Amino acid sequence: MPSVMLRKRDDGKLLFYVAKKDLEETVESIEFDTEEKWGGEVVLGDDSRYYFEPMSPPPVIPITLRAKRI
Amino acid sequence: MSALTKEETEALIQEVLEVYPEKAKKDRAKHLAVNDQSLEKSNKCITSNRKSLPGVMTIRGCAYAGSKGVVWGPIKDMIHISHGPVGCGQYSRAGRRNYYVGTTGINTFGTMNFTSDFQEKDIVFGGDKKLAKLIDEIEVLFPLNKGISIQSECPIGLIGDDIEAVAKQKKKEHGKTVVPVRCEGFRGVSQSLGHHIANDAVRDWVLDPAAEKETAYEASPYDVAVIGDYNIGGDAWASRTLLEDMGLNVVAQWSGDGTIAEIENTSKVKLNLIHCYRSMNYISRHMEEKYGIPWIEYNFFGPTKIAESLRAIAAHFDDKIKEGAERVIEKYKAEYDEVIAKYKPRLQGKRVMLYVGGLRPRHVIGAYEDLGMEVVGTGYEFGHNDDYDRTIKEMGNATLLYDDVTGYEFEEFVKKVQPDLIGSGIKEKYIFQKMGVPFRQMHSWDYSGLYHGYDGFAIFARDMDMTINNPCWKSIKAPWKQEVANDVAVAASA
Ligand code: SF4
């Protein structure tokens, strides 16, 4: 369960950063991304997949969250 | 020699790898690559931040070097104790040329070496008592220090001393910041992890505790912090001048010529400006998350990149600053145009190979290009994937990328590529000079500098010219090995 730092890039894309793994990737898609619910499965730019426990209301970004690798 | 094609560069890498045993060859192959600008991510072509191979000459440092030497060391009004045996601190003392203003030994301590000088008995019985005594002595001898950091050397982690307990105790007794840093040299694969550990220590022991305190801080909408500029030869001063000229208020310099008070105030700025991404991105990310401070990377090497960066920084502010940026660029235009007019004809078309750390393998490319030069190979001592991501676009296609290059590989590459200039560290300098290749030491600017900003660019251009066009390179070959053509000329003149 790596700690993931999420931040918005200038062009509005979400960046997914894991310091320990040296991983800085864009988030290409995210399962739930609405006003009420946020999280679920995310697909990164390198096609790897992670899972965030869905949360509501959505978190304020930037934030550090735990994700599961799937 | 003309530029290599992609196939030739690939063949060169294969040829160089040939001498290694099978396993080493497989490992090193992952660290050498031909640049391909069409790639978005570097991990498709190059592996980085891995353990160096045993038996090769690597050019890396240790985590202690990353913390004490890079991040903490330049904070001038704190005393940084090299905790452990005497060597680590003494051999690296004052080598980095991070300039500061102050009276050394009175209110600033940058070039001094403080060490607990571990002996056998400290290793056997533990060194916490000695550390406590040392801190008390410092308080008596140097009462104007604004804080102390304890930089662990290898043995501290091995014998399991509790430096955190000592730090807390002494902080209470003396009422000053005392920071234990767990940057033992054996942690991680290079100095890079030391940067990270040092960033975390700044966060936990200085930045966050200070943010909770009430301070008399007058906020302005133009407050920025310069992050990751270590004032090598005065770099940070040139950067600061440009930013202030355009109307920004520089609250803090991390950490060249910086003070602990500046660091404590950084949580209140409006924007963090990062020069060395590698060594301080961690703290910037933290400040973004915790205090909502956005950060941007900028590059103050060479007029093209400076103008780009000034505009990008100004875009975060109102029209006053945007006009300020244009004004600054205009103000220095005559100056840098003159520099280019003078040196470009002398340097045009010269080819450079770099091998440095931190930000330079990609940041100085623009400055060389401003002088009409071309960077044909570059690499990081301790870069990560995100550094190479940022490098791919800066480098030309089919140029060489080498990560954690070994002494052997670097020499072979140079023999084949035959650059007109190499920019790397002191350990490489004399090897290449003896091979007859002009060389600049690009870590501490070869006892010159500063290189940042427009003022620095003028010095940069002069230094490169002075090195490449130095008449000594013509005298490298022994007279009896000179070309035949010369012999004829001599005979004719006789
Ligand atoms: S590796 Fe250990 S012993 Fe060597 S310089 Fe670094 S801290 Fe000192």
Side-chain angles (χ1 to χ4, degrees), chain B residues 243-254:
Chain B
L243 296 168
E244 288 181 344
D245 268 2
M246 66 191 263
L248 295 172
N249 176 28
V250 180
V251 173
Q253 279 170 226
W254 290 54

Side-chain angles (χ1 to χ4, degrees), chain B residues 61-65 83 85 87-89 92 152-155 183-187:
Chain B
C62 68
Y64 159 84
H83 189 36
C88 315
S92 60
S152 312
E153 295 164 8
C154 286
C183 55
E184 287 89 346
F186 56 75
R187 294 186 199 275

